[in-house]
Amino acid sequence: MASICPSFISAWRRASAAMLIVLVALPCHSESARVRINIVGLGTERCDVIETGRASKDDVMKWIEGFWSGLNYVAAASGQKQSIVDTELMLAELEKACRRRPSQILATAAWNAFLALNQR
């Protein structure tokens, strides 16, 4: 049984690394015809959901904390650098990404924000 666990962990790391590499290599347009990503919840909304008030700031903050945590989980599992920032900075970078391209969905904007902050 002990020999199964290390091989499982190794396989999980390789699979996670492969997923992260694919995500990094592909353009960050989840609504494009080339890439189909199953996203649910607030992340499927266009960026204008913030400006119009259709979602409260608190809801957006809760969503981005969960989404960001998921990105960090995959990064950690695959030996990649995590983005360790506070929620206010996450939200500020998300809003900046949304101002640059308001037609994108929140998940795409958050992914771009994650990458931008992870390069610092």
Side-chain angles (χ1 to χ4, degrees), residues 3-113:
S3 64
I4 293 173
C5 189
S7 64
F8 174 77
I9 291 170
S10 178
W12 169 252
R13 284 186 179 150
R14 283 193 308 274
S16 296
M19 287 188 314
L20 190 59
I21 289 168
V22 168
L23 286 174
V24 170
L26 292 172
C28 295
H29 303 290
S30 61
E31 61 270 352
S32 77
R34 291 176 15 158
V35 177
R36 296 191 55 84
I37 301 172
N38 184 27
I39 298 172
V40 297
L42 197 54
T44 63
E45 296 288 334
R46 301 232 177 257
C47 279
D48 70 351
V49 73
I50 297 171
E51 295 298 318
T52 62
R54 288 194 326 258
S56 71
K57 183 176 180 178
D58 190 52
D59 286 344
V60 174
M61 288 181 79
K62 287 176 185 174
W63 174 81
I64 198 165
E65 286 173 334
F67 189 80
W68 210 275
S69 294
L71 294 174
N72 275 334
Y73 186 90
V74 171
S78 62
Q80 304 295 313
K81 181 182 173 190
Q82 295 180 61
S83 179
I84 311 298
V85 296
D86 64 42
T87 305
E88 290 294 329
L89 187 53
M90 289 176 203
L91 186 59
E93 198 67 28
L94 173 71
E95 289 171 340
K96 190 187 314 179
C98 281
R99 281 191 300 275
R100 280 193 299 267
R101 204 169 128 235
S103 64
Q104 69 186 321
I105 61 172
L106 287 178
T108 301
W111 171 243
N112 289 322

